[in-house]
Amino acid sequence: MTKTTSMFVRVAMVLAFLTLLPGLSYAQSGGATEKEIKEMVQKQFERMYQKGVENLSDRIVVSSGVKPFAVVTDTGDKVKAIRIKQAEEMPADIALEVLRRSLIALVKKGKIGATAIFYTADNPNKESNAEKVLVVEMEHIFGPTLAQLVPFTIKGSKASFGDQVVVEMEKQIFNINVDEEAAE
C-alpha cells in the first residue's frame, strides 16, 4: 500500500496544487518568491498526507473507517499527528468538531501553519460501488485549502481505493485573523 500510496499522493498533490496556484499570489512575504512558497506548501501537504496515511492504514481495515485525527506542520516545520483520546469515544461528527476547535486554538496560539484532517464518511456518490470515502481536508496559513475524497472498499483484510476527487473548500481552521486573536 505504501508504494502505490506514495505515487497516489504525488499525483494527487500535483493535480490539486495546479488548481490552487492562482490563490497563492498574495502569500509572498519576507522576500520569498511565489515559486518558493508554492513548493514549501506542496511539500508540507505531501508530508502531512503521508504521515496521515501511515496513521490510518491499519485502522481503516480493522474498523472500516477511522475516527477523525489531524496531522499538522508546526512553526518549526515538524509534522505531527494529533489524536484526541476522548474523541475516540465520541460519535464521529462530534469528534470532528472537537478536533477542528482544538486546531483553531493551536492556530490562535501561533503553534501551527498547516493542517490535514483525516476522517471517513459515507460516500456521497450513490452511483459508486464504494460505500465509504476517506476525506482529507488540507489547509495552509498561506491560503491553499482543499479537500480530497477517496472512495474505498474493505474486502477481507485489504482496502482498495478508487479514483480520488480533489476540490477546493472553504477555510475552517484558518478562517480567523490570527494576529487579532493572538493579541487578545
Side-chain angles (χ1 to χ4, degrees):
M1 183 169 153
T2 306
K3 206 175 243 186
T4 52
T5 301
S6 180
M7 179 57 100
F8 172 73
V9 169
R10 290 172 198 234
V11 170
M13 291 299 109
V14 168
L15 290 174
F17 212 71
L18 288 175
T19 64
L20 296 173
L21 292 178
L24 280 176
S25 60
Y26 71 92
Q28 291 184 355
S29 64
T33 67
E34 186 175 341
K35 182 179 179 185
E36 290 170 332
I37 291 170
K38 291 174 193 173
E39 288 173 0
M40 176 200 61
V41 170
Q42 183 173 356
K43 285 179 184 175
Q44 287 178 342
F45 277 177
E46 287 176 1
R47 289 191 344 247
M48 289 187 308
Y49 189 92
Q50 190 62 44
K51 178 100 172 171
V53 168
E54 291 168 7
N55 266 274
L56 69 79
S57 58
D58 293 335
R59 290 176 181 238
I60 206 165
V61 173
V62 171
S63 64
S64 298
V66 291
K67 288 285 185 166
F69 72 95
V71 176
V72 301
T73 300
D74 67 13
T75 54
D77 199 35
K78 290 190 170 96
V79 176
K80 301 176 181 179
I82 296 179
R83 287 189 181 276
I84 299 173
K85 189 174 184 176
Q86 296 86 347
E88 295 291 325
E89 306 302 319
M90 298 175 186
D93 57 338
I94 295 171
L96 181 59
E97 185 61 26
V98 167
L99 180 62
R100 283 188 179 128
R101 289 178 186 216
S102 298
L103 293 174
I104 290 169
L106 290 173
V107 167
K108 287 179 181 179
K109 291 179 181 177
K111 302 285 186 188
I112 56 176
T115 63
I117 299 176
F118 292 76
Y119 60 95
T120 54
D122 291 334
N123 190 346
N125 181 358
K126 300 302 176 197
E127 296 174 16
S128 172
N129 292 335
E131 291 181 19
K132 298 279 187 184
V133 294
L134 170 64
V135 180
V136 184
E137 298 176 355
M138 291 185 256
E139 294 186 48
H140 200 280
I141 198 164
F142 285 145
T145 305
L146 61 96
Q148 178 176 309
L149 306 167
V150 184
F152 70 91
T153 305
I154 306 292
K155 290 186 181 174
S157 62
K158 193 171 185 176
S160 58
F161 295 88
D163 294 334
Q164 61 144 4
V165 175
V166 178
V167 296
E168 288 187 52
M169 62 176 230
E170 288 187 34
K171 291 182 179 199
Q172 296 188 44
I173 306 301
F174 291 97
N175 62 353
I176 59 165
N177 184 333
V178 177
D179 295 333
E180 267 182 32
E181 294 292 337
E184 288 181 359

